[in-house]
Amino acid sequence: MNPRTTRILKEERSLFWPWCAVAVAGVLPLVRHQPVSSLIFPEIPHWMVEDISFVGFFFGIPLLAALSFGNEFQHRTISLLLSQPVSRMEIWGEKLSVMIVAVASAALIFGIGWRATLQQDPDLWVMGGAWVIAILASAAFWTLAARSLLGGLALNAGVHSVILIVKINLPYWFPRISHLSPAETTTALRVAASILLCYAGAMLWLGRRMFARFQATGGIAGDDLLMAGPDVMPRALAGWLRCRPTEPVLNLIRKELRLLRPVWLISLLAVPAWIFLPVYWNAKEHEIAVGGAAALMTVGLLPLIAVLAGTMSLGEERT
């Protein structure tokens, strides 16, 4: 077994169990329609199974895309990875290939599980496929920028969810879009496909460039986006979070706050959804779908923030 095969197997092992969990969420709607479903889901309503599957898609696909690089930050092995006598572009290609296989296969399982719903509304195929492509192309950039697994997951899913909500709202903000002729619709689709491909190519290039120039500072512990990026957090606050030799008690508090940094990122992304959710609930009928999506995002983020706030501190100590 050559070193390249060993590195690829390492990447596959790190993604295997998360991929299994995401795949189970993808087949839930399909299993629900089978006769044996009453034995598997005796008390779970049909709508709840679909919501669980949607949350699995919304968080699972970005998680699979972020794991290849995020695991290196999570386990503090990014310095060891970059110090290997291997070209960074070779490592980039190996991680990207495993990531593409994992995300594409999981998305295919979701497509099979949601086949009945997707056949009723073909536009969902287009939006879902575009969302997966954007998530896959941007995962490396956002994970390297955040310097953490959960930070990359939050930024990647949050940014593209905002873009998706804007896309859903476009026909209502610009009614002319809903009355395009067939020729104009074809032209609009081609333009949208070109923009998507250019965006995906640009994000892949930015991620590749960032990885080629990435410098792991701070030793094994390292710093994530909030501490490494001086433009992200004010210098005064960043300086207060750095430990000092004469303040042992405050150093313990600073350490706990720093361990919860990904929670702050996710909370910041959830604030817009919490602010605009009442607006959507009181909106017109054509905006109810967007309000439901915002509500589902909020409901999904609230337990995630609560769980991470309670478990991440001890989990990071163990790591």
Side-chain angles (χ1 to χ4, degrees):
M1 184 178 296
N2 57 52
R4 177 183 176 86
T5 304
T6 303
R7 292 194 299 270
I8 292 178
L9 288 177
K10 186 263 294 185
E11 298 295 332
E12 292 175 348
R13 283 196 299 268
S14 66
L15 268 68
F16 177 72
W17 290 114
W19 181 91
C20 290
V22 175
V24 169
V27 300
L28 281 180
L30 194 63
V31 176
R32 184 64 179 173
H33 291 87
Q34 301 302 320
V36 296
S37 62
S38 59
L39 299 177
I40 303 176
F41 309 105
E43 302 293 338
I44 302 179
H46 182 272
W47 62 268
M48 186 176 294
V49 172
E50 293 182 348
D51 286 349
I52 292 174
S53 181
F54 178 80
V55 172
F57 177 80
F58 181 78
F59 289 107
I61 296 297
L63 175 64
L64 290 178
L67 274 175
S68 289
F69 289 97
N71 276 335
E72 306 294 345
F73 293 102
Q74 182 70 20
H75 300 296
R76 310 294 192 262
T77 56
I78 185 67
S79 299
L80 298 176
L81 176 70
L82 299 179
S83 64
Q84 295 185 59
V86 183
S87 169
R88 289 195 180 190
M89 293 302 97
E90 185 175 351
I91 297 175
W92 165 268
E94 295 166 357
K95 286 183 172 292
L96 187 64
S97 60
V98 175
M99 183 197 311
I100 291 175
V101 172
V103 172
S105 58
L108 179 62
I109 292 175
F110 275 100
I112 296 174
W114 285 84
R115 183 175 64 252
T117 303
L118 295 175
Q119 288 176 348
Q120 297 175 2
D121 189 356
D123 289 343
L124 292 177
W125 283 98
V126 178
M127 288 191 294
W131 192 76
V132 170
I133 292 174
I135 287 289
L136 183 59
S138 307
F141 173 80
W142 289 117
T143 306
L144 291 172
R147 300 192 177 208
S148 71
L149 171 60
L150 292 175
L153 168 63
L155 290 175
N156 198 13
V159 168
H160 293 100
S161 297
V162 171
I163 295 176
L164 183 60
I165 291 177
V166 170
K167 188 271 176 191
I168 294 174
N169 268 320
L170 280 179
Y172 310 120
W173 294 340
F174 305 98
R176 175 71 176 83
I177 298 177
S178 303
H179 301 87
L180 297 178
S181 64
E184 291 175 333
T185 302
T186 302
T187 302
L189 288 176
R190 290 176 179 175
V191 171
S194 301
I195 294 175
L196 174 64
L197 292 178
C198 291
Y199 172 79
M203 294 304 295
L204 280 174
W205 177 80
L206 287 174
R208 182 178 181 273
R209 181 173 178 270
M210 182 175 289
F211 183 69
R213 301 184 177 187
F214 188 84
Q215 297 295 327
T217 58
I220 293 180
D223 286 328
D224 73 349
L225 174 65
L226 294 180
M227 296 298 295
D231 297 330
V232 177
M233 178 180 288
R235 291 183 179 274
L237 185 57
W240 189 87
L241 288 176
R242 288 192 171 90
C243 295
R244 302 170 187 177
T246 59
E247 301 176 351
V249 177
L250 290 178
N251 286 344
L252 291 176
I253 298 176
R254 294 184 181 111
K255 181 200 69 171
E256 295 300 324
L257 291 175
R258 292 184 62 181
L259 289 178
L260 296 176
R261 287 169 296 185
V263 180
W264 310 134
L265 283 175
I266 299 175
S267 300
L268 288 176
L269 291 173
V271 166
W274 295 336
I275 293 175
F276 290 105
L277 185 58
V279 178
Y280 283 118
W281 279 123
N282 297 323
K284 300 177 182 178
E285 289 184 1
H286 62 257
E287 295 177 341
I288 290 178
V290 182
L296 192 55
M297 289 173 56
T298 306
V299 171
L301 288 174
L302 280 175
L304 178 64
I305 293 172
V307 170
L308 291 178
T311 60
M312 178 167 286
S313 180
L314 291 178
E316 289 291 325
E317 294 283 9
R318 180 180 181 275
T319 302

